[in-house]
Amino acid sequence: MEPRFAAALQETGPLPLRLRKDGFTALLDAIVSQQISVAAASAIWGRMKTARLTGPRKIKWASDDDLRACGLSSQKIRYARALAEARIDYNALRDTPSDEVIATLVKVPGIGPWTAEIYAMFSLGHADVFPPGDLALQEAARVLFDLDKRPSEREFRQMAAAWSPWRAVAARCLWSYYRVVKQREGIR
């Protein structure tokens, strides 16, 4: 194991598992959380749950104004509707290798590699998935590994290859370390 992770774990304590349910709602939640703060994502998701706009039929039937009132941008409204129309076989994804899960999900507008990797990690429990495009992970790695700058997505993917087959555990460690060193959450 990378010795710097041991040092990080001394600061963070036990890592939260963060395993979530799979399916449409989990992916919709991930889309809502894209490129906004943890606090903003939590607030928007709370409004969507209150409005009962978390299922595919509800998204299809809702007006743009209903979704906008929850805090979704026009772009995220398009993404939510694309997901509702995608007809993904979520049960089949449970037994699908990570690379195939990611390939399936990124076909849906609004689901990029980060969202697909987060889904594979937290909703499907895949242990060897790593989202190198995550800014909180990049910043945590910069601090933990005493780097001059955040690693690029490409550099980070190469760096994380050494942590296989437990890259998701490394990511959880880095998110927890980010919380400690930056005094804020890196992921919801």
Side-chain angles (χ1 to χ4, degrees):
M1 176 180 204
E2 165 61 53
R4 283 169 274 217
F5 284 126
L9 286 170
Q10 287 182 343
E11 291 189 46
T12 66
L15 301 177
L17 184 56
R18 297 181 189 235
L19 195 58
R20 304 172 184 159
K21 290 183 179 183
D22 64 334
F24 176 86
T25 303
L27 270 173
L28 180 62
D29 186 13
I31 288 171
V32 167
S33 299
Q34 292 171 348
Q35 300 180 343
I36 59 176
S37 72
V38 171
S42 294
I44 292 168
W45 189 248
R47 289 191 293 269
M48 291 186 71
K49 284 174 37 179
T50 298
R52 297 183 179 175
L53 294 173
T54 59
R57 285 182 294 189
K58 298 284 187 161
I59 294 296
K60 287 179 188 178
W61 296 337
S63 71
D64 286 359
D65 287 340
D66 292 336
L67 295 170
R68 201 171 291 109
C70 292
L72 291 184
S73 66
S74 296
Q75 185 175 33
K76 287 192 180 180
I77 291 169
R78 282 193 310 276
Y79 295 163
R81 293 192 189 287
L83 179 63
E85 297 290 340
R87 296 195 171 132
I88 295 169
D89 185 347
Y90 295 103
N91 291 333
L93 289 181
R94 293 177 183 157
D95 299 317
T96 303
S98 299
D99 58 339
E100 291 178 36
V101 168
I102 293 164
T104 297
L105 296 180
V106 299
K107 291 177 185 173
V108 179
I111 298 180
W114 180 87
T115 303
E117 290 156 348
I118 294 297
Y119 183 81
M121 187 184 307
F122 292 132
S123 294
L124 299 177
H126 290 208
D128 199 23
V129 177
F130 191 83
D134 189 280
L135 295 179
L137 291 182
Q138 290 173 359
E139 179 62 12
R142 184 195 65 77
V143 174
L144 184 62
F145 291 91
D146 197 28
L147 304 173
D148 291 334
K149 61 180 180 61
R150 289 181 190 157
S152 69
E153 187 171 335
R154 184 178 188 199
E155 293 165 337
F156 209 16
R157 187 174 302 280
Q158 291 171 345
M159 184 179 184
W163 307 329
S164 184
W166 302 106
R167 291 179 295 173
V169 177
R172 289 177 33 230
C173 182
L174 287 169
W175 275 311
S176 290
Y177 187 69
Y178 180 86
R179 180 184 44 78
V180 169
V181 299
K182 297 295 181 175
Q183 313 270 294
R184 54 192 260 201
E185 289 294 324
I187 193 157
R188 190 160 70 88

